[in-house]
Amino acid sequence: MSSNKTVIAVDAMGGDLGPSVVVPGAIEAARQTGAKILLVGNEATLDGELNRLSPSGVDLEIVHAPEVAGMDEKPSDILRRKKNASIQVACRLVRDGAAQGVVSAGHSGASVACGMFIMGRIPGVERPALASLLPTEKEPVVLLDVGATVDCKPYNIFQFGLMGDAFARDILNKESPRVGLLSIGEEEGKGNSQVKEAYELFKMAQNLNFSGNIEGRDLFTGEMDVAVCDGFVGNVALKLSEGLGLSLSRVLKRELLNSGFLPKLGSLLAKSAFRRLAKVVDYAEYGGAPLLGLQNISIVCHGRSNAKAICNATRMATLFVEKETNKRLMETICANEELTRFGRS
């Protein structure tokens, strides 16, 4: 592998639309970043896509993987029985040093399992976390975990906060990210036992700008840079925000179109504002959710990802590699190792 070029392995068979959107998205990412892309999947199928698109001026290579992780299969079964599934082959490429990051819009459970058991976790990290960028009134907020670990211990949530802090520093360029713990009240002492114990760990953390508890309504004000919770709560919050944003857009569009002349005229004048709103709630703008806590970079994309989402996810993976974000993650975890051990006891 070239020492001066980032190499990203893309699970080309993943997602609801498969290679028809993954391949053009990966090509565009290669064009924008200069990274080399390893397209992992069925060679004949990928050859057909490349012949159709006829890309030029980009560094692409096909890595044959004859099997696909089915969405109805258990992650444990995929790990044991489908050694040649595209997500497994992509993760092994990263583990073995042929690539520095992996991107997949396929089976998210399989992506998490393969990341953990093939690429491995950062020393000291027991559970990984999926981090999602949510739009706010100001700048995006990092919400984690959004589904990788639904059953958490307080010290797992504490480590999620440490990882979110490192992510916000490198990817959002925040010097001292404001970290909030998602709870049912702002006051100290609010929340279940899990949240209360995590709160105490956060208060004692080194070099962490912990701002205390935040409520669900605070997610979109832009007052926090990182919002931390377990994977169950985070996944519900993520899906709720996605659904609400899309529903609001549809309701506004329907009401304006079914109204009289003046509202319709107003809707024409506000067309650019609606376009900006659609962009804010579009998950494709952020590409995918990084799986933090692994030895290497893994970006998990939405199953309905289009080419734009794949492109942005691959760009994010490249940025992670170039900024050595995992190195900062390891340093942050190591600096708070004693406090994590205290939380385990």
PDB file of all heavy atoms in Angstrom, residues 143-164:
ATOM      1  N   LEU A 143     -24.360  12.861  18.072  1.00  0.00           N
ATOM      2  CA  LEU A 143     -25.163  12.027  18.967  1.00  0.00           C
ATOM      3  C   LEU A 143     -24.608  10.625  18.957  1.00  0.00           C
ATOM      4  O   LEU A 143     -24.450  10.019  17.902  1.00  0.00           O
ATOM      5  CB  LEU A 143     -26.633  12.017  18.514  1.00  0.00           C
ATOM      6  CG  LEU A 143     -27.570  11.083  19.296  1.00  0.00           C
ATOM      7  CD1 LEU A 143     -27.730  11.565  20.739  1.00  0.00           C
ATOM      8  CD2 LEU A 143     -28.933  10.992  18.605  1.00  0.00           C
ATOM      9  N   LEU A 144     -24.297  10.081  20.135  1.00  0.00           N
ATOM     10  CA  LEU A 144     -23.809   8.716  20.232  1.00  0.00           C
ATOM     11  C   LEU A 144     -24.129   8.149  21.611  1.00  0.00           C
ATOM     12  O   LEU A 144     -24.231   8.910  22.574  1.00  0.00           O
ATOM     13  CB  LEU A 144     -22.305   8.630  19.945  1.00  0.00           C
ATOM     14  CG  LEU A 144     -21.277   9.111  20.992  1.00  0.00           C
ATOM     15  CD1 LEU A 144     -19.908   8.630  20.610  1.00  0.00           C
ATOM     16  CD2 LEU A 144     -21.261  10.594  21.237  1.00  0.00           C
ATOM     17  N   ASP A 145     -24.397   6.890  21.639  1.00  0.00           N
ATOM     18  CA  ASP A 145     -24.450   5.865  20.616  1.00  0.00           C
ATOM     19  C   ASP A 145     -25.828   5.851  19.979  1.00  0.00           C
ATOM     20  O   ASP A 145     -26.821   6.065  20.643  1.00  0.00           O
ATOM     21  CB  ASP A 145     -24.138   4.527  21.277  1.00  0.00           C
ATOM     22  CG  ASP A 145     -24.223   3.330  20.386  1.00  0.00           C
ATOM     23  OD1 ASP A 145     -24.014   3.469  19.172  1.00  0.00           O
ATOM     24  OD2 ASP A 145     -24.517   2.238  20.891  1.00  0.00           O
ATOM     25  N   VAL A 146     -25.903   5.549  18.669  1.00  0.00           N
ATOM     26  CA  VAL A 146     -27.195   5.509  18.001  1.00  0.00           C
ATOM     27  C   VAL A 146     -27.578   4.095  17.574  1.00  0.00           C
ATOM     28  O   VAL A 146     -28.371   3.915  16.655  1.00  0.00           O
ATOM     29  CB  VAL A 146     -27.249   6.473  16.792  1.00  0.00           C
ATOM     30  CG1 VAL A 146     -27.114   7.908  17.244  1.00  0.00           C
ATOM     31  CG2 VAL A 146     -26.186   6.129  15.755  1.00  0.00           C
ATOM     32  N   GLY A 147     -27.007   3.092  18.259  1.00  0.00           N
ATOM     33  CA  GLY A 147     -27.471   1.742  17.966  1.00  0.00           C
ATOM     34  C   GLY A 147     -26.474   0.616  18.028  1.00  0.00           C
ATOM     35  O   GLY A 147     -26.851  -0.546  17.917  1.00  0.00           O
ATOM     36  N   ALA A 148     -25.191   0.912  18.229  1.00  0.00           N
ATOM     37  CA  ALA A 148     -24.213  -0.173  18.261  1.00  0.00           C
ATOM     38  C   ALA A 148     -24.309  -0.998  19.541  1.00  0.00           C
ATOM     39  O   ALA A 148     -24.162  -2.214  19.530  1.00  0.00           O
ATOM     40  CB  ALA A 148     -22.792   0.379  18.106  1.00  0.00           C
ATOM     41  N   THR A 149     -24.577  -0.333  20.676  1.00  0.00           N
ATOM     42  CA  THR A 149     -24.610  -1.006  21.983  1.00  0.00           C
ATOM     43  C   THR A 149     -25.870  -0.566  22.728  1.00  0.00           C
ATOM     44  O   THR A 149     -25.894   0.509  23.327  1.00  0.00           O
ATOM     45  CB  THR A 149     -23.354  -0.655  22.812  1.00  0.00           C
ATOM     46  OG1 THR A 149     -22.179  -0.931  22.037  1.00  0.00           O
ATOM     47  CG2 THR A 149     -23.309  -1.481  24.091  1.00  0.00           C
ATOM     48  N   VAL A 150     -26.892  -1.399  22.689  1.00  0.00           N
ATOM     49  CA  VAL A 150     -28.167  -0.993  23.291  1.00  0.00           C
ATOM     50  C   VAL A 150     -28.207  -1.232  24.800  1.00  0.00           C
ATOM     51  O   VAL A 150     -28.933  -0.553  25.528  1.00  0.00           O
ATOM     52  CB  VAL A 150     -29.364  -1.703  22.613  1.00  0.00           C
ATOM     53  CG1 VAL A 150     -29.481  -1.262  21.166  1.00  0.00           C
ATOM     54  CG2 VAL A 150     -29.233  -3.221  22.694  1.00  0.00           C
ATOM     55  N   ASP A 151     -27.452  -2.193  25.288  1.00  0.00           N
ATOM     56  CA  ASP A 151     -27.394  -2.464  26.726  1.00  0.00           C
ATOM     57  C   ASP A 151     -26.032  -2.008  27.239  1.00  0.00           C
ATOM     58  O   ASP A 151     -25.011  -2.637  26.954  1.00  0.00           O
ATOM     59  CB  ASP A 151     -27.605  -3.951  27.022  1.00  0.00           C
ATOM     60  CG  ASP A 151     -29.006  -4.412  26.643  1.00  0.00           C
ATOM     61  OD1 ASP A 151     -29.962  -3.739  27.052  1.00  0.00           O
ATOM     62  OD2 ASP A 151     -29.131  -5.426  25.936  1.00  0.00           O
ATOM     63  N   CYS A 152     -26.019  -0.925  27.995  1.00  0.00           N
ATOM     64  CA  CYS A 152     -24.767  -0.295  28.399  1.00  0.00           C
ATOM     65  C   CYS A 152     -24.589  -0.251  29.912  1.00  0.00           C
ATOM     66  O   CYS A 152     -25.562  -0.185  30.664  1.00  0.00           O
ATOM     67  CB  CYS A 152     -24.707   1.151  27.887  1.00  0.00           C
ATOM     68  SG  CYS A 152     -24.644   1.306  26.112  1.00  0.00           S
ATOM     69  N   LYS A 153     -23.342  -0.239  30.307  1.00  0.00           N
ATOM     70  CA  LYS A 153     -22.960   0.083  31.674  1.00  0.00           C
ATOM     71  C   LYS A 153     -22.632   1.587  31.727  1.00  0.00           C
ATOM     72  O   LYS A 153     -22.311   2.189  30.694  1.00  0.00           O
ATOM     73  CB  LYS A 153     -21.739  -0.728  32.100  1.00  0.00           C
ATOM     74  CG  LYS A 153     -21.921  -2.243  32.012  1.00  0.00           C
ATOM     75  CD  LYS A 153     -22.922  -2.742  33.041  1.00  0.00           C
ATOM     76  CE  LYS A 153     -22.987  -4.274  33.022  1.00  0.00           C
ATOM     77  NZ  LYS A 153     -24.021  -4.780  33.949  1.00  0.00           N
ATOM     78  N   PRO A 154     -22.679   2.187  32.913  1.00  0.00           N
ATOM     79  CA  PRO A 154     -22.345   3.616  33.004  1.00  0.00           C
ATOM     80  C   PRO A 154     -20.973   3.960  32.432  1.00  0.00           C
ATOM     81  O   PRO A 154     -20.808   5.006  31.782  1.00  0.00           O
ATOM     82  CB  PRO A 154     -22.411   3.885  34.505  1.00  0.00           C
ATOM     83  CG  PRO A 154     -23.403   2.894  35.020  1.00  0.00           C
ATOM     84  CD  PRO A 154     -23.180   1.656  34.199  1.00  0.00           C
ATOM     85  N   TYR A 155     -19.983   3.088  32.641  1.00  0.00           N
ATOM     86  CA  TYR A 155     -18.645   3.405  32.133  1.00  0.00           C
ATOM     87  C   TYR A 155     -18.578   3.292  30.617  1.00  0.00           C
ATOM     88  O   TYR A 155     -17.730   3.923  29.978  1.00  0.00           O
ATOM     89  CB  TYR A 155     -17.563   2.536  32.796  1.00  0.00           C
ATOM     90  CG  TYR A 155     -17.698   1.053  32.589  1.00  0.00           C
ATOM     91  CD1 TYR A 155     -17.199   0.429  31.448  1.00  0.00           C
ATOM     92  CD2 TYR A 155     -18.297   0.246  33.549  1.00  0.00           C
ATOM     93  CE1 TYR A 155     -17.309  -0.935  31.264  1.00  0.00           C
ATOM     94  CE2 TYR A 155     -18.419  -1.114  33.380  1.00  0.00           C
ATOM     95  CZ  TYR A 155     -17.924  -1.708  32.238  1.00  0.00           C
ATOM     96  OH  TYR A 155     -18.039  -3.066  32.057  1.00  0.00           O
ATOM     97  N   ASN A 156     -19.476   2.478  29.990  1.00  0.00           N
ATOM     98  CA  ASN A 156     -19.566   2.458  28.525  1.00  0.00           C
ATOM     99  C   ASN A 156     -20.019   3.822  28.015  1.00  0.00           C
ATOM    100  O   ASN A 156     -19.443   4.375  27.075  1.00  0.00           O
ATOM    101  CB  ASN A 156     -20.555   1.406  28.044  1.00  0.00           C
ATOM    102  CG  ASN A 156     -20.177  -0.017  28.390  1.00  0.00           C
ATOM    103  OD1 ASN A 156     -21.043  -0.827  28.742  1.00  0.00           O
ATOM    104  ND2 ASN A 156     -18.898  -0.342  28.310  1.00  0.00           N
ATOM    105  N   ILE A 157     -21.048   4.378  28.658  1.00  0.00           N
ATOM    106  CA  ILE A 157     -21.564   5.688  28.259  1.00  0.00           C
ATOM    107  C   ILE A 157     -20.498   6.758  28.462  1.00  0.00           C
ATOM    108  O   ILE A 157     -20.340   7.668  27.639  1.00  0.00           O
ATOM    109  CB  ILE A 157     -22.840   6.022  29.060  1.00  0.00           C
ATOM    110  CG1 ILE A 157     -23.942   5.017  28.711  1.00  0.00           C
ATOM    111  CG2 ILE A 157     -23.315   7.439  28.777  1.00  0.00           C
ATOM    112  CD1 ILE A 157     -25.210   5.179  29.518  1.00  0.00           C
ATOM    113  N   PHE A 158     -19.734   6.643  29.539  1.00  0.00           N
ATOM    114  CA  PHE A 158     -18.630   7.574  29.794  1.00  0.00           C
ATOM    115  C   PHE A 158     -17.622   7.528  28.651  1.00  0.00           C
ATOM    116  O   PHE A 158     -17.191   8.571  28.135  1.00  0.00           O
ATOM    117  CB  PHE A 158     -17.967   7.223  31.124  1.00  0.00           C
ATOM    118  CG  PHE A 158     -16.682   7.948  31.385  1.00  0.00           C
ATOM    119  CD1 PHE A 158     -16.645   9.326  31.467  1.00  0.00           C
ATOM    120  CD2 PHE A 158     -15.499   7.238  31.553  1.00  0.00           C
ATOM    121  CE1 PHE A 158     -15.452   9.996  31.705  1.00  0.00           C
ATOM    122  CE2 PHE A 158     -14.309   7.893  31.787  1.00  0.00           C
ATOM    123  CZ  PHE A 158     -14.281   9.283  31.862  1.00  0.00           C
ATOM    124  N   GLN A 159     -17.256   6.316  28.219  1.00  0.00           N
ATOM    125  CA  GLN A 159     -16.306   6.201  27.109  1.00  0.00           C
ATOM    126  C   GLN A 159     -16.897   6.738  25.808  1.00  0.00           C
ATOM    127  O   GLN A 159     -16.169   7.307  24.989  1.00  0.00           O
ATOM    128  CB  GLN A 159     -15.873   4.744  26.935  1.00  0.00           C
ATOM    129  CG  GLN A 159     -14.914   4.268  28.009  1.00  0.00           C
ATOM    130  CD  GLN A 159     -14.209   2.982  27.632  1.00  0.00           C
ATOM    131  OE1 GLN A 159     -14.757   2.127  26.936  1.00  0.00           O
ATOM    132  NE2 GLN A 159     -12.974   2.820  28.090  1.00  0.00           N
ATOM    133  N   PHE A 160     -18.214   6.578  25.613  1.00  0.00           N
ATOM    134  CA  PHE A 160     -18.842   7.152  24.425  1.00  0.00           C
ATOM    135  C   PHE A 160     -18.614   8.671  24.401  1.00  0.00           C
ATOM    136  O   PHE A 160     -18.341   9.251  23.351  1.00  0.00           O
ATOM    137  CB  PHE A 160     -20.348   6.880  24.410  1.00  0.00           C
ATOM    138  CG  PHE A 160     -20.735   5.422  24.322  1.00  0.00           C
ATOM    139  CD1 PHE A 160     -22.034   5.023  24.602  1.00  0.00           C
ATOM    140  CD2 PHE A 160     -19.818   4.453  23.961  1.00  0.00           C
ATOM    141  CE1 PHE A 160     -22.418   3.697  24.522  1.00  0.00           C
ATOM    142  CE2 PHE A 160     -20.180   3.111  23.883  1.00  0.00           C
ATOM    143  CZ  PHE A 160     -21.488   2.736  24.170  1.00  0.00           C
ATOM    144  N   GLY A 161     -18.728   9.287  25.574  1.00  0.00           N
ATOM    145  CA  GLY A 161     -18.505  10.725  25.659  1.00  0.00           C
ATOM    146  C   GLY A 161     -17.081  11.109  25.311  1.00  0.00           C
ATOM    147  O   GLY A 161     -16.840  12.113  24.629  1.00  0.00           O
ATOM    148  N   LEU A 162     -16.123  10.315  25.773  1.00  0.00           N
ATOM    149  CA  LEU A 162     -14.720  10.573  25.443  1.00  0.00           C
ATOM    150  C   LEU A 162     -14.482  10.467  23.941  1.00  0.00           C
ATOM    151  O   LEU A 162     -13.781  11.291  23.341  1.00  0.00           O
ATOM    152  CB  LEU A 162     -13.818   9.571  26.175  1.00  0.00           C
ATOM    153  CG  LEU A 162     -13.845   9.591  27.707  1.00  0.00           C
ATOM    154  CD1 LEU A 162     -12.925   8.501  28.256  1.00  0.00           C
ATOM    155  CD2 LEU A 162     -13.429  10.955  28.251  1.00  0.00           C
ATOM    156  N   MET A 163     -15.078   9.443  23.335  1.00  0.00           N
ATOM    157  CA  MET A 163     -14.903   9.245  21.893  1.00  0.00           C
ATOM    158  C   MET A 163     -15.608  10.340  21.102  1.00  0.00           C
ATOM    159  O   MET A 163     -15.097  10.815  20.081  1.00  0.00           O
ATOM    160  CB  MET A 163     -15.405   7.856  21.495  1.00  0.00           C
ATOM    161  CG  MET A 163     -14.571   6.731  22.084  1.00  0.00           C
ATOM    162  SD  MET A 163     -14.962   5.079  21.470  1.00  0.00           S
ATOM    163  CE  MET A 163     -16.525   4.733  22.294  1.00  0.00           C
ATOM    164  N   GLY A 164     -16.794  10.756  21.561  1.00  0.00           N
ATOM    165  CA  GLY A 164     -17.504  11.846  20.900  1.00  0.00           C
ATOM    166  C   GLY A 164     -16.727  13.146  20.960  1.00  0.00           C
ATOM    167  O   GLY A 164     -16.727  13.933  20.009  1.00  0.00           O
TER     168      GLY A 164
END
